[in-house]
Each structure stands twice: as structure tokens, then as C-alpha cells.
Amino acid sequence: MPQTSAINRQILLESRPVGAPTQANFRMVETPVPTVQAGQMLLRNRWMSLDPYMRGRMSDAKSYADPVPVGGVMTCGTVSEVVSSELEGFEPGDLVMCFASGWQDYTLSDGSMVFRLDRNMPEPSQALGVLGMPGFTGYMGLTDIGQPKVGETVVVGAATGPVGTVVGQVAKILGCHVVGVAGGAEKCEYAVKELGFDACIDHKDPALAEKLAAACPKGIDVYFENVGGKVFDAVMPLLNAHARVPLCGLIAQYNATSLPDGPDRLSQLMRLILSQRIRMQGFIIFDNYGHCFPEFLKTMTPWVAEGKVRVKEDRVEGLENAPEAFIGLLEGQNFGKLVVKIAD
């Protein structure tokens, strides 16, 4: 069923997943389109973003943000059109990016976490990727925590994802030797030939550690961590003295129900951090850097327009297909920033 002006389709969290999410963890319902009250505006969602952090919101484990309640609407960012407004500063027809929306056709908003976009923006969905939360995450984590210097080696996992592509391309702009890690030959070829990385290693390759070492003959100065697992295992021995490790995600571990097999290597990691004087810092992009978003857009928007930073999207049609697409995202099936087109 396509989007209508009378019904608000919503995808709810039906149950909390154990391990990898399944279709049974989601349920679509139909509700009336909400009515605007004073101090609110009604948004018609046109594009929605699917991101790995949403797996954490499906869990009730302690985290940096409250979980989605069972029976609640799944959370996401959207590119939306203002339908009606009782909120100063927003008018019907405005195009906005809303970071506090949901997997649904319509959202009531009080203006919190909403940014106005150019109504004539040629590719509005980019506001959910390279010009949105993922791009912002990559840019700030690299430049503020990573602080790369000309000639240094920067390595990034999930290199063809929306965060990794920004990290790698910005690092090249800043004069670094850039090595990506991605899943499959096609993604690795794209990272090198289209994005300009110096090398990209397939994390499915049994010789991952050896090939990563060969691609980083001077060691690693900045490792942008958004994967964890075996990728970080391969990176650890190559970290140079005073290396910096911005940490924004651990997608390889999101569906885990127990610790990985093998010895506990926490003491080895702690010793490495101490002896190599490594800076490893986790961050939540809007908690730590929300005030920097206008600065980020001022820098990134012309880079995208000029082709200095290239963009690849994986587009899915239809709100009803969001659960399947999200499940595939956690398995690495997407190629580029995953977005769902809800309506024209």
C-alpha cells in the first residue's frame, strides 16, 4: 500500500530480538494521520534512513539512549515535507531533515532535532547520508579525534558504508595514505577506483591480517573503528606509537549473544594502549558534536557538489520493505548508504 493523506502506516517493535533481528520482531499498523496542536508541525516523511545503531535501540540493555519500547515506533532520521505547521519558523512545503522521526508515513514534531533543507535540493536523500548523521560522524570523528596529519596512514573499516566513505575521502583530501576494509571484491574495487583509497582489503579474506600489514608498511596512525571483531584484531598489532582510534560503532558485535570464542585479550589491549600511548575515544555524534553540525555542512556541502567527496546510495522502495532491508544491513548486504523511499 502506498502512502496516502488519510492513513499513517507505522512499523512497530513487536518484540526484542535475541541475536539477529527477524521479521517477527516488527509489525506494521495503520493509524489516523495525527492532528497538529499549538507548537507542532506535521511532517510527511519522504525518505528514511536505516543505520546500524538501530539494532541497539531494539535492545533493553543499558546504553547511551533509551531503547524503543516494545509496541513503540522504530526510530530513524527522515527527510520530510512540512504538511501543516503551528510552529514559528516552519511553513507548509518546507523540506526538512528530522533526526527524531520514526519508521512511519507522518511525524508530529515540535522542531527538536529538525534542520531546514533547500526545497530544490537535487538529491534530498543525501541529507540522511553524506550530509547527515553518518557523514557528520565520519567527518568529526576523523578530524577531531583522529587529527590526521599529511603522510600518515589512516585505516577505516566498513569502508564503503556511509561513515567509512566519508572518513576515507576526507583523509585523502587531508593528504593521508588511506586503506579501507570492506566485505567483498566489488566493494574493495569501488573504494580504490571510485573513492580514491590507496588500498582496500576484503575482510572475508583468510589472509586479512597479512594483507592489511602489507598495505600499511609504516604502520597505522589513525584507525577509525566502526566494526570491531576480526578487523580490529588485524589492526591492533599495526598501531603506531601515539595512534588515535575514534570509536563510533561495533557492527560486528551488535547481534552477539555471548563473548567471542578464544582467550580474553583485554589485558593485551590495555598493555598496547599504554605502551604505544594510544588514544582510543568513543563518541556519540550529536551528544558530543551537535553544535558543530552547521560547520560540518559548510565544509561538506561544497565538497559533494564539486565531486571531491563521492556518494553511493543503496535505495529501497517502500516503507513495508524497511524491516527486510534493515536485517540485510546488519549482514552487510547493502552497498552504500541504505535509505528507504517512502513517498515522492
Side-chain angles (χ1 to χ4, degrees), residues 169-319:
Q169 291 181 91
V170 171
K172 285 301 296 181
I173 291 172
L174 298 177
C176 297
H177 177 77
V178 177
V179 178
V181 180
E186 182 184 8
K187 291 181 179 179
C188 287
E189 182 179 20
Y190 173 78
V192 174
K193 292 187 176 180
E194 298 295 329
L195 302 181
F197 287 35
D198 295 287
C200 189
I201 314 301
D202 185 354
H203 69 69
K204 300 175 184 178
D205 193 321
L208 167 63
E210 294 80 4
K211 290 187 176 180
L212 182 62
C216 304
K218 297 181 181 180
I220 298 173
D221 300 294
V222 180
Y223 173 54
F224 196 104
E225 175 64 291
N226 54 9
V227 177
K230 64 184 179 181
V231 177
F232 185 66
D233 292 346
V235 165
M236 274 179 58
L238 304 175
L239 290 171
N240 288 332
H242 306 289
R244 289 81 70 196
V245 183
L247 169 59
C248 76
L250 295 165
I251 191 171
Q253 298 166 220
Y254 286 165
N255 289 330
T257 57
S258 62
L259 294 173
D261 294 334
D264 180 357
R265 293 194 295 151
L266 178 59
S267 60
Q268 178 186 352
L269 173 61
M270 298 297 286
R271 188 181 306 114
L272 180 67
I273 290 173
L274 174 60
S275 63
Q276 294 292 73
R277 291 136 293 168
I278 294 168
R279 178 188 183 188
M280 179 179 288
Q281 181 176 334
F283 69 102
I284 306 301
I285 186 59
F286 280 103
D287 285 358
N288 295 109
Y289 296 108
H291 62 285
C292 298
F293 191 65
E295 169 201 331
F296 157 74
L297 284 180
K298 185 177 180 180
T299 300
M300 187 61 66
T301 301
W303 280 352
V304 173
E306 296 163 12
K308 289 183 177 180
V309 172
R310 305 191 69 172
V311 180
K312 185 176 182 65
E313 291 184 330
D314 192 334
R315 295 181 171 185
V316 172
E317 294 277 345
L319 176 64

Side-chain angles (χ1 to χ4, degrees), residues 12-310:
L12 311 182
L13 178 63
E14 177 72 0
S15 59
R16 301 205 184 279
V18 178
T22 68
Q23 289 279 0
N25 298 128
F26 303 95
R27 177 166 62 98
M28 178 177 277
V29 298
E30 296 181 359
T31 62
V33 174
T35 302
V36 174
Q37 305 295 327
Q40 295 180 328
M41 59 181 168
L42 178 66
L43 305 179
R44 181 174 73 90
N45 301 327
R46 290 169 48 180
W47 292 90
M48 61 175 276
S49 178
L50 292 176
D51 300 284
Y53 78 84
M54 296 171 182
R55 174 60 182 85
R57 299 289 178 87
M58 298 176 74
S59 169
D60 60 1
K62 183 178 180 180
S63 186
Y64 62 88
D66 292 335
V68 175
V70 173
V73 180
M74 285 291 297
T75 185
C76 71
T78 59
V79 169
S80 311
E81 178 185 347
V82 177
V83 177
S84 58
S85 176
E86 296 293 334
L87 185 62
E88 186 177 353
F90 294 93
E91 300 177 356
D94 283 350
L95 189 67
V96 300
M97 172 171 49
C98 179
F99 288 109
S101 188
W103 296 23
Q104 55 188 351
D105 287 316
Y106 294 90
T107 300
L108 274 181
S109 172
D110 63 2
S112 300
M113 298 296 287
V114 174
F115 298 86
R116 186 180 286 99
L117 302 172
D118 182 350
R119 293 191 188 194
N120 299 314
M121 188 176 181
E123 297 291 346
S125 57
Q126 290 183 357
L128 300 174
V130 66
L131 299 177
M133 182 271 292
F136 188 29
T137 299
Y139 178 83
M140 294 306 306
L142 176 69
T143 58
D144 189 64
I145 300 173
Q147 298 183 6
K149 301 175 181 64
V150 174
E152 287 192 326
T153 295
V154 175
V155 174
V156 59
T160 59
V163 175
T165 56
V166 169
V167 170
Q169 291 181 91
V170 171
K172 285 301 296 181
I173 291 172
L174 298 177
C176 297
H177 177 77
V178 177
V179 178
V181 180
E186 182 184 8
K187 291 181 179 179
C188 287
E189 182 179 20
Y190 173 78
V192 174
K193 292 187 176 180
E194 298 295 329
L195 302 181
F197 287 35
D198 295 287
C200 189
I201 314 301
D202 185 354
H203 69 69
K204 300 175 184 178
D205 193 321
L208 167 63
E210 294 80 4
K211 290 187 176 180
L212 182 62
C216 304
K218 297 181 181 180
I220 298 173
D221 300 294
V222 180
Y223 173 54
F224 196 104
E225 175 64 291
N226 54 9
V227 177
K230 64 184 179 181
V231 177
F232 185 66
D233 292 346
V235 165
M236 274 179 58
L238 304 175
L239 290 171
N240 288 332
H242 306 289
R244 289 81 70 196
V245 183
L247 169 59
C248 76
L250 295 165
I251 191 171
Q253 298 166 220
Y254 286 165
N255 289 330
T257 57
S258 62
L259 294 173
D261 294 334
D264 180 357
R265 293 194 295 151
L266 178 59
S267 60
Q268 178 186 352
L269 173 61
M270 298 297 286
R271 188 181 306 114
L272 180 67
I273 290 173
L274 174 60
S275 63
Q276 294 292 73
R277 291 136 293 168
I278 294 168
R279 178 188 183 188
M280 179 179 288
Q281 181 176 334
F283 69 102
I284 306 301
I285 186 59
F286 280 103
D287 285 358
N288 295 109
Y289 296 108
H291 62 285
C292 298
F293 191 65
E295 169 201 331
F296 157 74
L297 284 180
K298 185 177 180 180
T299 300
M300 187 61 66
T301 301
W303 280 352
V304 173
E306 296 163 12
K308 289 183 177 180
V309 172
R310 305 191 69 172

